[in-house]
Amino acid sequence: FGELALFDRHKRLACFGSGNSPHCVVFLGGLTDGLLALKYLEPLQSALAAVGWALWQPLLSSSYNGYGCVSLDNDASELDSFLDFLTARGAIRAVLVGHSTGCQIICRYFHRFGNSSVRQLRPIVRGAILQGAVSDREYMATLPQTPADIELARALAAHNSPHALMPRRAAQDVPITATRFLSLAARGGDDDMFSSDLSESELHAALGPVSTPALVVLSGADEYVPAHVDIPRLLARMAAALPYGRGMLVQGANHALDGHHVAFVAAVTDFVQALTQ
């Protein structure tokens, strides 16, 4: 049971909340994800309820098949609107939990709306958990059509058509613009935050703005991570790039933690409980 509500009436963006608590975990899914996209969300909701936390799932413009025609900046702005919605309801703590591209959304949120000369971080944001924070670019590099698609996307952008749609093959029939395709597939794109070949300074630029306690959770058998990537080493580098970060490796788990969610749910529960002690 829970509550379905609009958090942005102008865009008609909806959210679903489970539990009535001022302490909130905000879940942000990856590409093509929507409500209850991960099998671990139901046991996570139950575990959070047992310690007095609610689980909220906002649907952004990029949810489901919408990601190809929007940007991480748009995601960050909509996440900020959702946090405004929670604040107006009386929330006093929020932990952002991202899966896959949800992790990039969180990092972009801190970059744009964190502690800077322009804007201070919302007081309710107390932590971040990045689950399945892997590189789209490195995975897409294993697909035979990617080099040609990158060339086409660059040609479109060079001819002042950055919002032109790519061929249907580029994103498995999901409409995607040249700009968003390059963001995902090209080195240095906006989504290119967790690649194993990034320098320490590049990793720090992506993760350094996350100014709260943070946990990075990677899977030992993630199907979207190429075989040449040293996952434990990448995890250690990512945790080190976070100002207050630590890492957790789930051995044998796939990208979605199918069949390996128990340790993750326990880690999230421990993380949020530490914030209220």
Side-chain angles (χ1 to χ4, degrees):
F1 298 96
E3 178 184 357
L4 185 65
L6 290 175
F7 69 89
D8 186 323
R9 292 187 176 276
H10 176 68
K11 291 186 175 181
R12 307 297 294 176
L13 296 176
C15 56
F16 185 78
S18 304
N20 183 20
S21 171
H23 312 302
C24 305
V25 165
V26 178
F27 177 77
L28 300 156
L31 305 183
T32 75
D33 287 343
L35 291 177
L36 292 174
L38 280 297
K39 294 178 182 178
Y40 63 65
L41 286 172
E42 291 179 89
L44 177 61
Q45 185 275 324
S46 297
L48 290 172
V51 295
W53 282 66
L55 175 65
W56 283 88
Q57 300 174 69
L59 292 176
L60 309 181
S61 296
S62 61
S63 297
Y64 299 108
N65 286 349
Y67 71 87
C69 296
V70 293
S71 66
L72 287 178
D73 281 337
N74 188 78
D75 291 334
S77 294
E78 292 179 353
L79 173 57
D80 192 56
S81 295
F82 177 71
L83 292 171
D84 187 54
F85 163 85
L86 285 184
T87 301
R89 291 173 55 93
I92 59 175
R93 291 184 178 88
V95 171
L96 308 179
V97 176
H99 163 72
S100 198
T101 300
C103 301
Q104 280 98 327
I105 295 173
I106 291 171
C107 290
R108 181 52 62 105
Y109 177 78
F110 276 95
H111 179 78
R112 287 197 59 203
F113 297 105
N115 298 317
S116 69
S117 60
V118 177
R119 165 80 181 274
Q120 295 297 301
L121 185 68
R122 287 183 179 273
I124 68 168
V125 179
R126 303 295 183 89
I129 298 175
L130 310 178
Q131 185 271 310
V134 300
S135 169
D136 295 283
R137 172 170 65 85
E138 288 187 315
Y139 171 72
M140 293 174 76
T142 67
L143 306 177
Q145 74 271 17
T146 297
D149 286 340
I150 290 176
E151 184 177 351
L152 172 59
R154 285 175 171 159
L156 289 171
H159 287 85
N160 297 316
S161 301
H163 302 299
L165 292 176
M166 294 288 290
R168 294 177 64 173
R169 70 169 186 274
Q172 297 179 336
D173 290 340
V174 174
I176 188 168
T177 65
T179 297
R180 188 63 197 264
F181 184 83
L182 290 174
S183 178
L184 292 164
R187 199 187 199 292
D190 285 348
D191 287 86
D192 190 17
M193 298 184 186
F194 312 131
S195 297
S196 63
D197 61 353
L198 295 181
S199 67
E200 302 307 319
S201 62
E202 288 172 318
L203 274 179
H204 180 75
L207 295 164
V210 181
S211 55
T212 63
L215 174 66
V216 184
V217 182
L218 298 186
S219 298
D222 194 312
E223 65 272 27
Y224 294 107
V225 178
H228 72 269
V229 175
D230 185 333
I231 296 177
R233 181 172 181 270
L234 176 60
L235 177 61
R237 294 179 65 219
M238 292 174 67
L242 289 159
Y244 309 101
R246 58 189 178 89
M248 173 183 176
L249 181 64
V250 185
Q251 294 284 4
N254 68 3
H255 190 56
L257 299 177
D258 293 332
H260 292 78
H261 69 271
V262 174
F264 174 70
V265 169
V268 175
T269 305
D270 291 344
F271 186 98
V272 302
Q273 284 187 289
L275 298 176
T276 53
Q277 291 176 349

